[in-house]
Amino acid sequence: MINRIRDIRKQKGLTLADVAERCSPPTTAQTIGRLETGMRQLSLTWMNKIAAALEVEPELLVRGTEAEAPRYIARFTENGAEALPAPRDAILPTDLGGDAPLVALAIEHGAGDYRSGDQVWLRQHGPEHYPRLLNRDVLAPRPGGRFAFGRMIDRDDKRVAILPPGPGSRQVVIDGPAWIAVAEMLVRKL
């Protein structure tokens, strides 16, 4: 089993001290740190306390090693879609089903219909599915470890054209992307 406490805590923007204070009864940041690094065994009691403090279901705190979890691979900033320095676990709020891999995009700079803080969940598809993705919001890999995110507005046998969200954006043309991920779910805090 893989402990996901740190990933969930960081995704929610909380410090060790924040989680410790939210526990009932409150504990120390050092204890939370030891639990999330595995230096202290994560008992069922601690799982329930930490899950309540993080406002998630206890089973989200751990995952089996057999299936690869969805990952954040990119973020959308004022400069457009860009790769993260290192992919990180993405915590899926609900099961989307399906067999194709899921990826997540963190919106850090609002544009068009997307607001800062949004999470966009996307499902990867191969070239045989590209005709079905026209006029859908997609994330596509570009050369050099870069990405393009926006509405897929055109395609032919070798190229796709993506229009980033927001006024005044110029289309991005990508030659032969290995995959395109289509947006399936938007997660937004109220």
Side-chain angles (χ1 to χ4, degrees):
M1 297 297 262
I2 297 173
N3 182 326
R4 301 172 75 190
I5 297 170
R6 176 177 285 151
D7 289 332
I8 296 170
R9 175 179 62 78
K10 286 187 174 187
Q11 183 176 329
K12 291 183 172 273
L14 299 172
T15 66
L16 290 170
D18 294 335
V19 176
E21 187 176 306
R22 289 175 162 203
C23 283
S24 179
T27 187
T28 66
Q30 184 178 15
T31 298
I32 301 299
R34 287 180 176 161
L35 288 163
E36 75 177 25
T37 60
M39 291 178 64
R40 182 170 176 177
Q41 184 175 350
L42 184 62
S43 68
L44 188 56
T45 301
W46 275 112
M47 275 183 65
N48 289 330
K49 285 181 184 181
I50 293 173
L54 293 171
E55 299 174 344
V56 298
E57 294 298 319
E59 59 267 15
L60 285 178
L61 299 181
V62 294
R63 75 160 194 258
T65 56
E66 66 281 347
E68 187 171 326
R71 313 272 292 159
Y72 276 107
I73 59 171
R75 63 183 172 201
F76 188 82
T77 68
E78 60 193 20
N79 298 320
E82 59 184 44
L84 292 174
R88 63 181 195 259
D89 283 350
I91 309 305
L92 185 62
T94 186
D95 183 12
L96 294 178
D99 295 328
L102 288 170
V103 294
L105 173 71
I107 305 293
E108 294 184 357
H109 178 78
D113 293 333
Y114 298 97
R115 298 181 197 160
S116 179
D118 286 352
Q119 296 175 14
V120 181
W121 288 83
L122 309 103
R123 188 171 308 277
Q124 288 181 319
H125 294 280
E128 67 277 9
H129 296 282
Y130 293 177
R132 295 189 340 220
L133 306 181
L134 275 173
N135 206 28
R136 302 276 308 272
D137 285 351
V138 299
L139 178 71
R142 298 173 61 192
R146 297 176 301 151
F147 290 92
F149 173 69
R151 183 70 41 110
M152 188 167 130
I153 58 172
D154 195 12
R155 69 154 197 92
D156 62 23
D157 289 339
K158 297 178 183 170
R159 296 178 296 165
V160 297
I162 296 173
L163 184 62
S169 299
R170 297 184 64 191
Q171 76 175 358
V172 177
V173 177
I174 305 170
D175 286 322
W179 54 267
I180 293 177
V182 65
E184 286 198 7
M185 183 170 63
L186 171 69
V187 178
R188 175 177 288 160
K189 287 185 179 181
L190 297 178

mmCIF file of all heavy atoms in Angstrom, residues 45 76 95 130 149 156:
data_model
loop_
_atom_site.group_PDB
_atom_site.id
_atom_site.type_symbol
_atom_site.label_atom_id
_atom_site.label_comp_id
_atom_site.label_asym_id
_atom_site.label_seq_id
_atom_site.Cartn_x
_atom_site.Cartn_y
_atom_site.Cartn_z
ATOM 1 N N THR A 45 -7.392 3.888 13.265
ATOM 2 C CA THR A 45 -7.793 5.059 14.053
ATOM 3 C C THR A 45 -7.184 6.327 13.469
ATOM 4 O O THR A 45 -7.875 7.332 13.286
ATOM 5 C CB THR A 45 -7.365 4.890 15.533
ATOM 6 O OG1 THR A 45 -7.977 3.710 16.052
ATOM 7 C CG2 THR A 45 -7.765 6.089 16.356
ATOM 8 N N PHE A 76 -2.046 24.916 -16.234
ATOM 9 C CA PHE A 76 -2.364 26.011 -17.141
ATOM 10 C C PHE A 76 -2.073 27.307 -16.413
ATOM 11 O O PHE A 76 -2.665 27.583 -15.377
ATOM 12 C CB PHE A 76 -3.836 25.944 -17.574
ATOM 13 C CG PHE A 76 -4.185 26.921 -18.644
ATOM 14 C CD1 PHE A 76 -3.921 26.624 -19.970
ATOM 15 C CD2 PHE A 76 -4.760 28.134 -18.339
ATOM 16 C CE1 PHE A 76 -4.227 27.524 -20.970
ATOM 17 C CE2 PHE A 76 -5.069 29.055 -19.318
ATOM 18 C CZ PHE A 76 -4.808 28.743 -20.652
ATOM 19 N N ASP A 95 -15.366 8.138 -9.344
ATOM 20 C CA ASP A 95 -14.921 7.183 -10.352
ATOM 21 C C ASP A 95 -15.527 7.553 -11.699
ATOM 22 O O ASP A 95 -16.743 7.615 -11.842
ATOM 23 C CB ASP A 95 -15.334 5.767 -9.943
ATOM 24 C CG ASP A 95 -14.839 4.713 -10.916
ATOM 25 O OD1 ASP A 95 -13.999 5.034 -11.777
ATOM 26 O OD2 ASP A 95 -15.304 3.566 -10.810
ATOM 27 N N TYR A 130 -9.268 10.736 -32.749
ATOM 28 C CA TYR A 130 -9.199 12.180 -32.938
ATOM 29 C C TYR A 130 -10.422 12.773 -33.645
ATOM 30 O O TYR A 130 -10.862 13.865 -33.268
ATOM 31 C CB TYR A 130 -7.928 12.586 -33.671
ATOM 32 C CG TYR A 130 -6.650 12.351 -32.901
ATOM 33 C CD1 TYR A 130 -5.412 12.617 -33.473
ATOM 34 C CD2 TYR A 130 -6.657 11.856 -31.606
ATOM 35 C CE1 TYR A 130 -4.229 12.408 -32.774
ATOM 36 C CE2 TYR A 130 -5.489 11.634 -30.905
ATOM 37 C CZ TYR A 130 -4.273 11.908 -31.498
ATOM 38 O OH TYR A 130 -3.115 11.692 -30.804
ATOM 39 N N PHE A 149 -3.363 23.271 -24.449
ATOM 40 C CA PHE A 149 -4.681 23.021 -23.878
ATOM 41 C C PHE A 149 -5.664 24.003 -24.482
ATOM 42 O O PHE A 149 -5.379 25.193 -24.600
ATOM 43 C CB PHE A 149 -4.654 23.207 -22.353
ATOM 44 C CG PHE A 149 -6.015 23.121 -21.721
ATOM 45 C CD1 PHE A 149 -6.695 21.913 -21.670
ATOM 46 C CD2 PHE A 149 -6.624 24.245 -21.201
ATOM 47 C CE1 PHE A 149 -7.953 21.831 -21.104
ATOM 48 C CE2 PHE A 149 -7.878 24.173 -20.623
ATOM 49 C CZ PHE A 149 -8.548 22.957 -20.575
ATOM 50 N N ASP A 156 -6.296 17.048 -39.456
ATOM 51 C CA ASP A 156 -6.197 16.270 -40.694
ATOM 52 C C ASP A 156 -5.428 15.014 -40.335
ATOM 53 O O ASP A 156 -5.297 14.684 -39.156
ATOM 54 C CB ASP A 156 -5.564 17.083 -41.837
ATOM 55 C CG ASP A 156 -4.132 17.518 -41.558
ATOM 56 O OD1 ASP A 156 -3.444 16.882 -40.731
ATOM 57 O OD2 ASP A 156 -3.683 18.499 -42.184
#
